[in-house]
Coordinates of all heavy atoms in Angstrom, one line a residue:
Q129 N 84.3 -40.9 103.1 CA 85.3 -41.9 102.6 C 84.6 -43.1 101.9 O 83.5 -43.6 102.5 CB 86.1 -42.4 103.9 CG 87.0 -43.6 103.6 CD 87.9 -43.9 104.6 OE1 88.7 -43.1 105.1 NE2 87.7 -45.1 105.1
P130 N 84.9 -43.6 100.8 CA 84.2 -44.5 100.1 C 84.5 -46.0 100.8 O 85.6 -46.2 101.3 CB 84.7 -44.5 98.7 CG 86.1 -43.9 98.8 CD 86.0 -43.0 100.0
A131 N 83.5 -46.9 100.7 CA 83.7 -48.2 101.2 C 84.7 -48.9 100.3 O 84.6 -48.7 99.1 CB 82.4 -49.0 101.3
K132 N 85.5 -49.9 100.8 CA 86.3 -50.7 100.1 C 85.7 -51.9 99.5 O 86.0 -52.4 98.4 CB 87.6 -51.1 100.9 CG 88.5 -50.0 101.1 CD 89.7 -50.5 101.8 CE 90.9 -49.5 102.0 NZ 92.0 -50.0 102.7
E133 N 84.7 -52.4 100.3 CA 84.1 -53.8 99.9 C 82.6 -53.6 100.1 O 82.0 -52.9 100.9 CB 84.6 -54.9 100.7 CG 86.0 -55.1 100.4 CD 86.5 -56.4 101.2 OE1 86.2 -57.6 100.8 OE2 87.2 -56.3 102.2
Q134 N 81.9 -54.5 99.4 CA 80.4 -54.8 99.6 C 80.3 -56.2 100.3 O 81.0 -57.2 100.0 CB 79.8 -54.8 98.2 CG 79.8 -53.5 97.5 CD 78.8 -52.4 98.1 OE1 79.3 -51.3 98.3 NE2 77.8 -52.8 98.5
F135 N 79.3 -56.3 101.2 CA 79.1 -57.5 101.9 C 77.6 -57.8 101.9 O 76.7 -56.9 102.0 CB 79.5 -57.4 103.4 CG 80.9 -57.1 103.5 CD1 81.4 -55.8 103.6 CD2 81.9 -58.1 103.6 CE1 82.8 -55.5 103.8 CE2 83.3 -57.8 103.6 CZ 83.7 -56.6 103.8
A136 N 77.2 -59.1 101.7 CA 75.9 -59.6 101.8 C 75.6 -60.0 103.2 O 76.6 -60.3 103.9 CB 75.7 -60.8 100.8
F137 N 74.4 -60.1 103.7 CA 74.1 -60.6 105.0 C 72.8 -61.4 104.9 O 72.0 -61.2 104.1 CB 74.0 -59.5 106.1 CG 72.8 -58.5 105.9 CD1 71.6 -58.8 106.7 CD2 72.9 -57.5 104.9 CE1 70.5 -57.9 106.5 CE2 71.7 -56.7 104.8 CZ 70.6 -56.9 105.6
S138 N 72.7 -62.3 105.8 CA 71.5 -63.1 105.8 C 70.6 -62.8 106.9 O 70.9 -62.5 108.1 CB 72.0 -64.6 106.1 OG 70.8 -65.5 106.1
L139 N 69.3 -62.7 106.5 CA 68.2 -62.4 107.5 C 67.0 -63.3 107.1 O 66.5 -63.2 106.1 CB 67.8 -60.9 107.4 CG 66.8 -60.3 108.3 CD1 67.3 -60.3 109.8 CD2 66.2 -59.0 107.9
D140 N 66.6 -64.1 108.2 CA 65.5 -64.9 108.0 C 65.7 -65.9 106.8 O 64.7 -66.1 106.0 CB 64.1 -64.2 107.9 CG 63.8 -63.5 109.2 OD1 64.5 -63.9 110.3 OD2 62.9 -62.6 109.2
G141 N 66.8 -66.3 106.5 CA 67.2 -67.1 105.4 C 67.3 -66.5 104.0 O 67.5 -67.2 103.0
T142 N 67.2 -65.2 104.0 CA 67.3 -64.5 102.8 C 68.7 -63.8 102.7 O 69.0 -63.0 103.6 CB 66.2 -63.5 102.5 OG1 64.9 -64.2 102.6 CG2 66.3 -62.8 101.2
E143 N 69.4 -63.9 101.6 CA 70.8 -63.3 101.5 C 70.4 -61.8 100.9 O 70.0 -61.7 99.8 CB 71.7 -64.0 100.6 CG 72.2 -65.3 101.2 CD 73.0 -65.0 102.5 OE1 73.8 -64.1 102.5 OE2 72.7 -65.8 103.5
L144 N 70.7 -60.8 101.7 CA 70.4 -59.4 101.2 C 71.7 -58.7 100.9 O 72.7 -58.8 101.6 CB 69.6 -58.7 102.3 CG 68.3 -59.2 102.9 CD1 67.8 -58.6 103.9 CD2 67.2 -59.3 101.6
G145 N 71.6 -57.9 99.9 CA 72.8 -57.0 99.6 C 72.3 -55.5 99.6 O 71.3 -55.1 99.0
V146 N 73.0 -54.7 100.5 CA 72.6 -53.2 100.6 C 73.5 -52.4 99.9 O 74.8 -52.4 100.0 CB 72.6 -53.0 102.1 CG1 72.3 -51.5 102.2 CG2 71.5 -53.7 102.9
T147 N 72.9 -51.5 99.0 CA 73.6 -50.6 98.3 C 73.1 -49.2 98.6 O 72.0 -49.1 99.1 CB 73.6 -50.8 96.8 OG1 72.2 -50.7 96.4 CG2 74.2 -52.0 96.5
I148 N 73.8 -48.0 98.5 CA 73.4 -46.8 98.8 C 73.4 -45.9 97.6 O 74.5 -45.6 97.0 CB 74.2 -46.2 99.9 CG1 74.2 -47.0 101.2 CG2 73.8 -44.8 100.3 CD1 75.1 -46.6 102.3
C149 N 72.2 -45.5 97.1 CA 72.0 -44.5 96.0 C 72.9 -44.8 94.8 O 72.7 -45.7 94.0 CB 72.1 -43.1 96.5 SG 71.3 -41.9 95.4
E150 N 74.0 -44.0 94.7 CA 74.8 -44.0 93.5 C 75.4 -45.4 93.2 O 75.7 -45.7 92.0 CB 76.0 -43.0 93.7 CG 76.9 -42.8 92.4 CD 76.3 -41.8 91.4 OE1 75.1 -41.4 91.7 OE2 76.9 -41.5 90.4
D151 N 75.4 -46.3 94.2 CA 76.0 -47.7 94.0 C 75.3 -48.5 92.9 O 75.9 -49.4 92.4 CB 76.0 -48.4 95.3 CG 76.9 -47.9 96.4 OD1 77.9 -47.1 96.0 OD2 76.8 -48.2 97.6
I152 N 74.0 -48.1 92.7 CA 73.3 -48.9 91.6 C 73.3 -48.2 90.2 O 72.8 -48.7 89.3 CB 71.8 -49.2 92.1 CG1 71.1 -47.9 92.3 CG2 71.8 -50.1 93.2 CD1 69.6 -48.1 92.4
W153 N 73.9 -47.0 90.2 CA 73.8 -46.2 88.9 C 75.1 -46.5 88.0 O 75.7 -45.6 87.4 CB 73.6 -44.8 89.2 CG 72.4 -44.3 89.7 CD1 71.9 -44.5 91.1 CD2 71.2 -43.6 89.1 NE1 70.7 -44.0 91.2 CE2 70.2 -43.6 90.0 CE3 71.1 -43.4 87.8 CZ2 69.0 -43.1 89.6 CZ3 69.9 -42.8 87.4 CH2 68.9 -42.6 88.3
N154 N 75.5 -47.8 88.0 CA 76.7 -48.0 87.2 C 76.7 -49.4 86.5 O 77.7 -50.1 86.3 CB 78.0 -48.0 88.2 CG 79.3 -47.7 87.5 OD1 79.3 -47.0 86.6 ND2 80.3 -48.4 87.8
D155 N 75.5 -49.7 86.1 CA 75.3 -51.0 85.5 C 75.8 -51.0 84.0 O 75.1 -50.2 83.2 CB 73.8 -51.4 85.6 CG 73.5 -52.7 84.9 OD1 74.5 -53.5 84.7 OD2 72.3 -52.9 84.5
K156 N 76.7 -51.9 83.7 CA 77.3 -51.9 82.3 C 76.3 -52.3 81.2 O 76.4 -52.0 80.1 CB 78.5 -52.7 82.3 CG 78.2 -54.2 82.5 CD 79.5 -55.1 82.5 CE 79.2 -56.5 82.7 NZ 80.5 -57.3 82.7
T157 N 75.2 -53.0 81.7 CA 74.2 -53.4 80.7 C 73.2 -52.3 80.3 O 72.5 -52.4 79.4 CB 73.4 -54.6 81.2 OG1 72.6 -54.2 82.3 CG2 74.3 -55.7 81.6
F158 N 73.2 -51.2 81.1 CA 72.2 -50.1 80.9 C 72.9 -48.8 80.4 O 72.4 -48.2 79.5 CB 71.6 -49.8 82.2 CG 70.5 -48.7 82.0 CD1 69.2 -49.1 81.5 CD2 70.6 -47.4 82.4 CE1 68.2 -48.2 81.4 CE2 69.7 -46.5 82.2 CZ 68.4 -46.9 81.7
W159 N 74.2 -48.5 81.0 CA 74.7 -47.3 80.5 C 75.8 -47.5 79.5 O 76.6 -48.4 79.6 CB 75.5 -46.7 81.8 CG 74.5 -46.4 82.9 CD1 74.4 -47.1 84.1 CD2 73.5 -45.3 83.0 NE1 73.4 -46.5 84.9 CE2 72.9 -45.4 84.2 CE3 73.2 -44.2 82.1 CZ2 71.9 -44.6 84.6 CZ3 72.2 -43.4 82.5 CH2 71.5 -43.5 83.7
A160 N 75.8 -46.6 78.4 CA 76.8 -46.7 77.3 C 78.1 -46.4 77.8 O 79.1 -46.9 77.4 CB 76.3 -46.0 76.2
K161 N 78.2 -45.4 78.8 CA 79.4 -45.0 79.4 C 79.3 -44.9 80.9 O 78.5 -44.1 81.4 CB 79.8 -43.6 78.8 CG 81.2 -43.2 79.3 CD 81.6 -41.9 78.6 CE 83.1 -41.4 79.1 NZ 83.4 -40.1 78.5
R162 N 80.0 -45.7 81.6 CA 79.9 -45.7 83.1 C 80.9 -44.7 83.8 O 81.9 -44.4 83.2 CB 80.2 -47.1 83.7 CG 79.3 -48.2 83.1 CD 79.4 -49.5 83.9 NE 80.8 -50.0 83.9 CZ 81.2 -51.0 84.7 NH1 80.4 -51.5 85.6 NH2 82.5 -51.4 84.6
R163 N 80.5 -44.2 84.9 CA 81.3 -43.2 85.6 C 82.3 -43.8 86.4 O 83.4 -43.2 86.8 CB 80.4 -42.3 86.5 CG 79.4 -41.4 85.8 CD 78.6 -40.6 86.8 NE 77.6 -39.9 86.2 CZ 77.8 -38.6 85.7 NH1 78.9 -38.0 85.8 NH2 76.8 -37.9 85.1
Y164 N 82.1 -45.1 86.8 CA 83.0 -45.7 87.9 C 83.5 -47.1 87.3 O 82.9 -47.8 86.5 CB 82.3 -45.9 89.2 CG 81.6 -44.7 89.7 CD1 80.2 -44.6 89.3 CD2 82.2 -43.7 90.4 CE1 79.5 -43.5 89.8 CE2 81.5 -42.6 90.8 CZ 80.2 -42.5 90.5 OH 79.4 -41.4 90.9
E165 N 84.7 -47.6 87.7 CA 85.2 -48.8 87.4 C 84.5 -50.0 88.1 O 84.2 -51.0 87.4 CB 86.7 -48.9 87.6 CG 87.6 -48.0 86.7 CD 89.0 -48.2 87.0 OE1 89.4 -49.1 87.8 OE2 89.8 -47.5 86.4
R166 N 84.2 -49.7 89.4 CA 83.6 -50.8 90.1 C 82.1 -50.9 90.0 O 81.4 -49.7 89.8 CB 84.0 -50.7 91.6 CG 85.5 -50.9 91.7 CD 86.0 -50.9 93.2 NE 85.5 -52.0 94.0 CZ 85.8 -52.2 95.2 NH1 86.6 -51.4 95.9 NH2 85.3 -53.4 95.9
D167 N 81.5 -52.0 90.3 CA 80.0 -52.2 90.2 C 79.6 -52.9 91.5 O 79.7 -54.1 91.6 CB 79.6 -53.0 89.0 CG 78.1 -53.2 88.8 OD1 77.4 -52.8 89.8 OD2 77.7 -53.6 87.8
P168 N 79.2 -52.1 92.5 CA 78.8 -52.7 93.8 C 77.7 -53.8 93.6 O 77.8 -54.8 94.4 CB 78.3 -51.5 94.6 CG 79.0 -50.3 93.9 CD 79.0 -50.6 92.5
V169 N 76.8 -53.6 92.8 CA 75.8 -54.7 92.7 C 76.3 -56.0 92.1 O 76.0 -57.1 92.7 CB 74.6 -54.2 91.7 CG1 73.6 -55.3 91.5 CG2 74.0 -53.0 92.4
N170 N 77.2 -55.9 91.1 CA 77.8 -57.1 90.7 C 78.6 -57.8 91.7 O 78.7 -59.0 91.8 CB 78.7 -56.6 89.4 CG 79.0 -57.9 88.6 OD1 78.2 -58.6 88.1 ND2 80.3 -58.1 88.3
E171 N 79.3 -57.0 92.5 CA 80.1 -57.5 93.6 C 79.2 -58.3 94.6 O 79.5 -59.3 95.1 CB 81.0 -56.5 94.3 CG 82.0 -55.9 93.3 CD 82.9 -54.9 94.0 OE1 82.9 -54.8 95.2 OE2 83.5 -54.1 93.2
L172 N 78.0 -57.7 94.9 CA 77.2 -58.3 95.9 C 76.5 -59.6 95.4 O 76.3 -60.6 96.1 CB 76.0 -57.3 96.3 CG 76.3 -56.2 97.3 CD1 75.3 -55.2 97.4 CD2 76.6 -56.8 98.7
V173 N 76.2 -59.7 94.1 CA 75.7 -60.8 93.5 C 76.7 -61.9 93.6 O 76.5 -63.0 93.8 CB 75.3 -60.6 92.1 CG1 74.9 -61.9 91.3 CG2 74.1 -59.7 92.1
G174 N 78.0 -61.5 93.4 CA 79.1 -62.5 93.5 C 79.3 -63.0 94.9 O 79.8 -64.2 95.1
R175 N 78.8 -62.3 95.8 CA 78.9 -62.8 97.3 C 77.6 -63.5 97.7 O 77.5 -63.7 98.9 CB 79.2 -61.5 98.2 CG 80.6 -61.1 98.1 CD 80.8 -59.9 99.0 NE 82.1 -59.4 99.0 CZ 83.2 -59.8 99.8 NH1 82.9 -60.6 100.7 NH2 84.4 -59.3 99.7
G176 N 76.7 -63.8 96.8 CA 75.6 -64.5 97.1 C 74.3 -63.8 97.4 O 73.3 -64.4 97.8
A177 N 74.3 -62.5 97.2 CA 73.0 -61.8 97.6 C 71.9 -62.1 96.5 O 72.2 -62.1 95.3 CB 73.2 -60.2 97.4
N178 N 70.7 -62.5 97.0 CA 69.6 -62.8 96.1 C 68.6 -61.8 96.0 O 67.6 -61.8 95.3 CB 69.1 -64.3 96.4 CG 68.7 -64.4 97.8 OD1 68.3 -63.5 98.4 ND2 69.0 -65.7 98.2
V179 N 68.6 -60.8 97.0 CA 67.7 -59.5 96.9 C 68.6 -58.3 97.1 O 69.5 -58.2 98.0 CB 66.7 -59.6 98.0 CG1 65.9 -58.3 98.1 CG2 65.8 -60.8 97.8
I180 N 68.4 -57.4 96.1 CA 69.3 -56.2 96.3 C 68.5 -55.1 96.8 O 67.4 -54.8 96.3 CB 69.9 -55.8 94.9 CG1 70.7 -56.9 94.2 CG2 70.7 -54.5 94.9 CD1 72.0 -57.2 94.9
I181 N 68.9 -54.4 97.9 CA 68.3 -53.3 98.5 C 69.1 -52.0 98.2 O 70.4 -52.0 98.4 CB 68.1 -53.5 100.0 CG1 67.1 -54.7 100.2 CG2 67.6 -52.2 100.7 CD1 67.0 -55.1 101.7
N182 N 68.4 -50.9 97.8 CA 69.1 -49.6 97.7 C 68.3 -48.6 98.4 O 67.1 -48.4 98.3 CB 69.1 -49.4 96.1 CG 69.9 -48.0 95.9 OD1 69.3 -46.9 95.9 ND2 71.2 -48.1 95.8
V183 N 69.1 -48.0 99.3 CA 68.6 -46.9 100.1 C 69.0 -45.5 99.4 O 70.3 -45.5 99.1 CB 68.9 -47.0 101.5 CG1 68.4 -48.2 102.2 CG2 70.4 -46.9 101.8
S184 N 68.2 -44.7 99.2 CA 68.6 -43.6 98.2 C 68.0 -42.2 98.7 O 67.0 -42.2 99.5 CB 67.9 -43.9 96.8 OG 68.5 -43.1 95.8
A185 N 68.7 -41.2 98.3 CA 68.1 -39.8 98.3 C 68.5 -39.3 97.0 O 69.4 -38.5 96.7 CB 68.9 -39.0 99.4
S186 N 67.6 -39.6 96.1 CA 67.8 -39.2 94.6 C 66.8 -38.1 94.3 O 65.6 -38.2 94.3 CB 67.4 -40.4 93.7 OG 67.5 -40.1 92.4
P187 N 67.4 -36.8 94.0 CA 66.5 -35.7 93.9 C 65.6 -35.8 92.6 O 66.1 -36.4 91.6 CB 67.4 -34.5 93.8 CG 68.7 -35.0 94.4 CD 68.8 -36.4 94.1
Y188 N 64.5 -35.2 92.7 CA 63.6 -35.2 91.5 C 64.1 -34.2 90.4 O 64.6 -33.2 90.7 CB 62.2 -34.8 91.8 CG 61.3 -34.4 90.6 CD1 60.7 -35.4 89.9 CD2 61.2 -33.0 90.2 CE1 59.9 -35.2 88.8 CE2 60.3 -32.8 89.2 CZ 59.7 -33.9 88.4 OH 58.9 -33.7 87.4
T189 N 64.1 -34.7 89.1 CA 64.2 -33.7 88.0 C 63.2 -34.4 86.9 O 62.8 -35.5 87.0 CB 65.6 -33.6 87.3 OG1 66.0 -34.9 87.0 CG2 66.6 -33.0 88.3
I190 N 62.8 -33.5 85.9 CA 61.9 -33.8 85.0 C 62.3 -35.0 84.3 O 63.5 -35.1 83.8 CB 61.6 -32.7 84.1 CG1 60.8 -31.5 84.8 CG2 60.7 -33.1 82.9 CD1 60.8 -30.2 84.0
D191 N 61.5 -36.0 84.1 CA 61.7 -37.3 83.4 C 62.7 -38.3 84.2 O 63.0 -39.5 83.7 CB 62.4 -37.1 82.0 CG 61.3 -36.5 81.0 OD1 60.2 -36.7 81.2 OD2 61.7 -35.7 80.2
K192 N 63.2 -37.9 85.4 CA 64.2 -38.8 86.0 C 63.4 -40.0 86.6 O 63.9 -41.0 86.7 CB 64.8 -38.0 87.2 CG 65.9 -38.9 87.8 CD 66.7 -38.1 88.9 CE 67.8 -38.7 89.6 NZ 68.5 -37.9 90.6
R193 N 62.1 -39.8 87.0 CA 61.4 -40.9 87.5 C 61.3 -42.1 86.5 O 61.5 -43.3 86.9 CB 60.0 -40.5 87.9 CG 60.0 -39.6 89.1 CD 58.6 -38.8 89.3 NE 57.6 -39.8 89.5 CZ 56.6 -40.0 88.5 NH1 56.7 -39.5 87.4 NH2 55.6 -40.8 88.8
N194 N 61.1 -41.7 85.3 CA 61.0 -42.8 84.2 C 62.3 -43.4 84.0 O 62.5 -44.6 83.8 CB 60.5 -42.2 82.9 CG 59.0 -41.8 83.1 OD1 58.3 -42.3 83.8 ND2 58.7 -40.6 82.4
L195 N 63.4 -42.5 83.9 CA 64.7 -43.0 83.7 C 65.2 -44.1 84.9 O 65.8 -45.1 84.6 CB 65.7 -41.9 83.6 CG 67.3 -42.2 83.6 CD1 67.6 -43.0 82.4 CD2 68.1 -41.0 83.8
R196 N 64.8 -43.6 86.1 CA 65.2 -44.5 87.2 C 64.5 -45.8 87.1 O 65.2 -46.8 87.4 CB 64.9 -43.7 88.5 CG 65.3 -44.2 89.8 CD 64.7 -43.6 91.0 NE 64.9 -42.2 91.1 CZ 63.9 -41.4 91.4 NH1 62.7 -41.7 91.6 NH2 64.3 -40.1 91.6
T197 N 63.3 -45.8 86.7 CA 62.5 -47.0 86.7 C 63.1 -47.9 85.6 O 63.3 -49.2 85.8 CB 61.0 -46.7 86.4 OG1 60.5 -46.0 87.5 CG2 60.3 -48.1 86.2
D198 N 63.4 -47.4 84.5 CA 64.0 -48.1 83.3 C 65.3 -48.8 83.9 O 65.7 -49.9 83.4 CB 64.2 -47.3 82.2 CG 62.8 -46.8 81.5 OD1 61.9 -47.5 81.8 OD2 62.9 -45.9 80.7
M199 N 66.2 -47.9 84.5 CA 67.4 -48.4 85.0 C 67.3 -49.5 86.0 O 68.0 -50.6 85.9 CB 68.2 -47.2 85.6 CG 69.6 -47.6 86.0 SD 69.7 -48.1 87.8 CE 69.2 -46.6 88.6
L200 N 66.3 -49.5 86.9 CA 66.2 -50.4 87.9 C 65.7 -51.7 87.3 O 66.0 -52.9 87.8 CB 65.3 -49.9 89.0 CG 65.7 -48.7 89.9 CD1 64.7 -48.2 90.7 CD2 66.9 -49.3 90.8
R201 N 64.8 -51.6 86.4 CA 64.3 -52.8 85.6 C 65.4 -53.5 85.0 O 65.5 -54.8 85.0 CB 63.1 -52.5 84.7 CG 61.8 -51.9 85.4 CD 60.8 -51.5 84.6 NE 60.1 -52.6 84.0 CZ 58.9 -52.6 83.3 NH1 58.4 -51.4 83.1 NH2 58.4 -53.7 83.0
A202 N 66.2 -52.7 84.2 CA 67.3 -53.4 83.6 C 68.2 -54.1 84.5 O 68.8 -55.2 84.2 CB 68.0 -52.3 82.8
L203 N 68.6 -53.4 85.7 CA 69.4 -54.0 86.7 C 68.8 -55.3 87.2 O 69.5 -56.3 87.4 CB 69.5 -53.1 87.8 CG 70.5 -53.4 88.9 CD1 71.9 -53.2 88.3 CD2 70.4 -52.4 90.1
A204 N 67.5 -55.3 87.5 CA 66.9 -56.5 88.0 C 67.0 -57.7 86.9 O 67.3 -58.9 87.3 CB 65.4 -56.3 88.4
R205 N 66.7 -57.4 85.7 CA 66.8 -58.4 84.7 C 68.1 -58.9 84.5 O 68.4 -60.2 84.2 CB 66.2 -57.8 83.4 CG 64.6 -57.5 83.3 CD 64.3 -57.4 81.9 NE 62.9 -56.9 81.8 CZ 62.6 -55.6 81.5 NH1 63.5 -54.7 81.4 NH2 61.2 -55.3 81.5
A206 N 69.1 -58.0 84.5 CA 70.6 -58.3 84.2 C 71.1 -59.4 85.2 O 71.8 -60.3 84.9 CB 71.4 -57.1 84.2
H207 N 70.5 -59.3 86.5 CA 71.0 -60.1 87.6 C 70.0 -61.2 87.9 O 70.3 -62.1 88.7 CB 71.5 -59.4 88.7 CG 72.6 -58.5 88.5 ND1 73.9 -59.0 88.3 CD2 72.7 -57.1 88.4 CE1 74.8 -57.8 88.1 NE2 74.0 -56.8 88.2
G208 N 68.8 -61.1 87.4 CA 67.7 -62.0 87.8 C 67.4 -62.0 89.2 O 67.0 -63.1 89.8
R209 N 67.5 -60.8 89.9 CA 67.2 -60.8 91.2 C 66.1 -59.6 91.5 O 66.3 -58.7 90.8 CB 68.5 -60.5 92.0 CG 69.2 -61.8 92.2 CD 70.7 -61.5 92.6 NE 71.4 -62.8 92.9 CZ 71.8 -63.6 92.0 NH1 71.6 -63.5 90.7 NH2 72.5 -64.7 92.4
A210 N 65.5 -59.7 92.5 CA 64.6 -58.6 93.0 C 65.4 -57.4 93.5 O 66.4 -57.6 94.0 CB 63.6 -59.1 94.1
V211 N 65.0 -56.2 93.0 CA 65.7 -55.0 93.4 C 64.6 -54.1 94.2 O 63.5 -53.9 93.7 CB 66.1 -54.2 92.2 CG1 66.7 -52.8 92.6 CG2 67.2 -55.0 91.4
I212 N 64.9 -53.8 95.4 CA 64.1 -52.9 96.3 C 64.7 -51.6 96.5 O 65.9 -51.5 96.9 CB 63.9 -53.6 97.6 CG1 63.1 -54.9 97.4 CG2 63.2 -52.7 98.6 CD1 63.2 -55.8 98.6
Y213 N 64.0 -50.5 96.0 CA 64.7 -49.2 96.0 C 63.8 -48.3 96.9 O 62.6 -48.1 96.6 CB 64.6 -48.7 94.5 CG 65.0 -47.3 94.4 CD1 66.3 -46.8 94.2 CD2 64.0 -46.2 94.3 CE1 66.6 -45.5 94.0 CE2 64.3 -45.0 94.2 CZ 65.6 -44.6 94.0 OH 66.0 -43.2 93.8
V214 N 64.4 -47.7 97.9 CA 63.7 -46.8 98.8 C 64.3 -45.5 98.8 O 65.4 -45.3 99.1 CB 63.7 -47.4 100.3 CG1 63.0 -46.5 101.2 CG2 63.1 -48.8 100.3
N215 N 63.5 -44.5 98.3 CA 63.9 -43.1 98.1 C 63.4 -42.1 99.1 O 62.2 -42.3 99.6 CB 63.5 -42.7 96.7 CG 64.2 -41.4 96.2 OD1 65.3 -41.1 96.7 ND2 63.6 -40.7 95.3
Q216 N 64.1 -41.2 99.4 CA 63.7 -40.1 100.3 C 62.5 -39.3 99.6 O 62.5 -39.2 98.4 CB 64.8 -39.1 100.6 CG 64.5 -38.0 101.6 CD 65.7 -37.2 102.0 OE1 66.7 -37.7 102.5 NE2 65.7 -35.9 101.7
V217 N 61.7 -38.7 100.4 CA 60.6 -37.9 99.9 C 60.6 -36.6 100.6 O 61.2 -36.5 101.8 CB 59.2 -38.6 100.0 CG1 58.7 -38.6 101.4 CG2 58.1 -37.9 99.1
G218 N 60.2 -35.5 99.9 CA 60.1 -34.1 100.5 C 61.1 -33.2 100.0 O 62.0 -33.6 99.2
G219 N 61.1 -32.0 100.5 CA 62.0 -30.9 100.0 C 62.9 -30.6 101.2 O 62.6 -30.5 102.3
N220 N 64.2 -30.4 100.8 CA 65.2 -29.9 101.7 C 66.0 -28.8 100.9 O 66.8 -29.1 100.0 CB 66.1 -30.9 102.3 CG 65.6 -31.6 103.4 OD1 65.1 -31.0 104.3 ND2 65.7 -32.9 103.4
D221 N 65.8 -27.5 101.2 CA 66.4 -26.4 100.5 C 66.0 -26.5 99.0 O 64.8 -26.6 98.8 CB 67.9 -26.4 100.6 CG 68.3 -25.9 102.1 OD1 67.5 -25.8 102.9 OD2 69.6 -25.9 102.3
S222 N 66.9 -26.5 98.2 CA 66.5 -26.4 96.6 C 66.1 -27.8 96.2 O 65.5 -27.7 95.1 CB 67.7 -25.9 95.9 OG 68.0 -24.5 96.2
L223 N 66.5 -28.8 96.8 CA 66.3 -30.2 96.3 C 64.9 -30.6 96.7 O 64.4 -30.5 97.8 CB 67.3 -31.1 96.8 CG 68.7 -30.7 96.4 CD1 69.7 -31.8 96.9 CD2 68.9 -30.5 94.9
I224 N 64.2 -31.3 95.8 CA 62.9 -32.1 96.0 C 63.2 -33.5 95.7 O 63.7 -33.9 94.7 CB 61.9 -31.4 95.1 CG1 61.8 -30.0 95.2 CG2 60.5 -32.1 95.4 CD1 61.0 -29.2 94.1
F225 N 62.7 -34.3 96.7 CA 62.8 -35.8 96.6 C 61.4 -36.4 96.3 O 60.5 -36.1 97.1 CB 63.5 -36.3 97.8 CG 64.8 -35.8 98.0 CD1 65.1 -34.7 98.8 CD2 66.0 -36.4 97.5 CE1 66.3 -34.1 99.0 CE2 67.2 -35.9 97.7 CZ 67.5 -34.7 98.4
D226 N 61.3 -37.1 95.3 CA 60.0 -37.6 94.8 C 59.5 -38.8 95.5 O 58.3 -39.2 95.4 CB 59.9 -37.7 93.3 CG 60.9 -38.8 92.9 OD1 62.1 -38.4 92.8 OD2 60.6 -39.8 92.4

Side-chain angles (χ1 to χ4, degrees):
Q129 177 173 292
K132 285 185 175 181
E133 293 186 78
Q134 296 288 138
F135 299 95
F137 70 96
S138 181
L139 184 66
D140 293 343
T142 302
E143 292 296 316
L144 303 174
V146 174
T147 57
I148 302 175
C149 203
E150 190 81 354
D151 290 341
I152 60 167
W153 289 79
N154 202 42
D155 177 21
K156 65 182 178 182
T157 66
F158 186 80
W159 302 104
K161 184 178 181 180
R162 300 193 301 166
R163 293 180 184 272
Y164 314 93
E165 291 184 4
R166 298 183 68 175
D167 183 346
V169 175
N170 200 51
E171 293 180 22
L172 281 169
V173 171
R175 288 180 176 266
N178 50 37
V179 174
I180 302 299
I181 293 173
N182 182 264
V183 299
S184 191
S186 178
Y188 168 81
T189 58
I190 293 168
D191 291 328
K192 188 176 182 182
R193 292 164 61 255
N194 294 328
L195 171 65
R196 192 193 295 138
T197 299
D198 290 344
M199 183 268 294
L200 291 168
R201 295 179 77 172
L203 188 71
R205 288 194 189 104
H207 296 287
R209 284 160 171 77
V211 174
I212 296 168
Y213 171 88
V214 180
N215 192 26
Q216 181 171 306
V217 71
N220 276 317
D221 288 358
S222 295
L223 301 184
I224 305 164
F225 301 88
D226 56 286

